[in-house]
Amino acid sequence: MYSWTVGDFKISRVLEMPVEIGVLDGLIEEATPEAVQGLPWLAPDYANSAGQLIWSLHSYVIDTGSKVIVVDTCCGNGKSAPLIPAWGNLDNPFLERLAEAGYDREQVDVVLGTHLHLDHVGWNTMDDGGQWVPTFPNARYTYAEDEYNYHRAIADEGDISSDLAGAVVYDGANPDIHNQQRLVFEESIQPCIDAGLLDLVPSGHKITDGVTYVSTPGHTKSHQSVMLESEGQRAFITGDFIHHPCQIGEPSWQSHGDFDRALSAAQRADFVKKYADSDLLVLGTHFAGTSAGRITHADGGFRFVPA
Ligand SMILES: [Zn+2]
């Protein structure tokens, strides 16, 4: 169990599972084994000696002292994932690990989503005798309104064309994507709506003191990362804005599923330059190893140094 202190905030990582090596090979097209081996600092935490990337599925719990906030909720147990079959019908002790970190599911005040892909909303709900019910019954499930509408349109068969013209892979016109996103809504979003727990907020919204959405579009249309600030210290939860630490060394490398690849790459290049050698603690949503670290200059470029 990894945890960090940022001012008065305590941040804990709750692991769902390491991603099986190979499942996401090819997701970042430029990250060929040879290219990955050209960034030797990625091994052993973020890549193996064969040049395959290593990934993780986990949530972050932010305890501000007055609120308990879960950022992204992984794949969940027993969910339908035809798009990535290895992530469907899982049976992981996620809630037991949450308890090990010191939190019961009833204690969670806010579930904060970076975006609504299947590996970020799964534990929104759990199976209760054949019915999907909110896992966190006392939480406000919070999403950026534009981001919610983008995914809703993909899930909603009738409304996929004009607004999503820029989509590359995660395009609702692709029947596999449409079907997956429909299942995401049915199993992981609608039960929270039915329970009256959904809050839609503007992009860049301040969630509570020291916890703010940061607009990082590119992976999805209105993707949000999360900035944490307490007592002069800062941390940043990436979501899929930085999908893998290799994109700190090579910000132009793009994920196959990105909605707008050029925008995604440009945002990352700016971010890496802006925060290199700063004290910003970067918490990666799919980073393996300790998942956290800092960006530094190295060899004419940038690298990620684990913390
Ligand atoms: Zn993801």
Side-chain angles (χ1 to χ4, degrees), residues 24 27 55-57 72 84 87 114-115 117-120 219 223 239-241 243 285-286:
L24 295 180
L27 180 63
W55 304 75
S56 172
L57 291 163
D72 286 341
I84 307 179
W87 294 356
T114 60
H115 63 302
H117 282 169
L118 67 102
D119 55 319
H120 295 260
H219 180 64
H223 186 279
D240 289 355
F241 161 56
H243 223 164
T285 297
H286 290 305

Side-chain angles (χ1 to χ4, degrees), residues 39 41-42 46 54 242-250 286-288 303-304:
L39 299 173
W41 55 269
L42 288 173
Y46 314 121
I54 301 171
I242 305 175
H243 223 164
H244 187 279
C246 70
Q247 293 174 310
I248 290 170
E250 297 287 353
H286 290 305
F287 292 13
R303 61 165 288 188
F304 190 60

Side-chain angles (χ1 to χ4, degrees), residues 171 195 275 278 297:
D171 184 339
Y275 290 109
S278 79
H297 278 96

Side-chain angles (χ1 to χ4, degrees), residues 56-126:
S56 172
L57 291 163
H58 51 259
S59 296
Y60 289 107
V61 180
I62 307 158
D63 188 340
T64 69
S66 58
K67 284 201 187 310
V68 176
I69 301 169
V70 174
V71 179
D72 286 341
T73 62
C74 309
C75 297
N77 276 2
K79 293 296 171 79
S80 308
L83 201 63
I84 307 179
W87 294 356
N89 275 314
L90 297 177
D91 183 15
N92 286 302
F94 179 83
L95 294 178
E96 288 81 348
R97 291 188 188 127
L98 181 69
E100 273 168 43
Y103 306 99
D104 292 327
R105 60 191 181 86
E106 290 84 2
Q107 257 177 289
V108 174
D109 299 296
V110 179
V111 172
L112 195 55
T114 60
H115 63 302
L116 284 81
H117 282 169
L118 67 102
D119 55 319
H120 295 260
V121 299
W123 275 105
N124 279 8
T125 60
M126 53 189 271

Side-chain angles (χ1 to χ4, degrees), residues 156-232:
D156 220 339
E157 206 159 7
D159 185 18
I160 50 176
S161 52
S162 59
D163 197 34
L164 297 168
V168 179
V169 170
Y170 226 90
D171 184 339
N174 175 334
D176 294 339
I177 303 290
H178 156 67
N179 186 45
Q180 178 63 69
Q181 206 58 27
R182 185 182 60 75
L183 290 164
V184 161
F185 266 81
E186 203 174 287
E187 297 178 350
S188 302
I189 307 292
Q190 193 62 43
C192 305
I193 299 173
D194 294 344
L197 301 180
L198 187 79
D199 281 340
L200 298 179
V201 301
S203 175
H205 187 69
K206 176 180 160 181
I207 307 301
T208 187
D209 281 343
V211 182
T212 311
Y213 264 153
V214 179
S215 172
T216 47
H219 180 64
T220 53
K221 192 176 179 193
S222 299
H223 186 279
Q224 307 286 313
S225 299
V226 181
M227 185 66 86
L228 309 175
E229 275 184 280
S230 174
E231 301 296 320

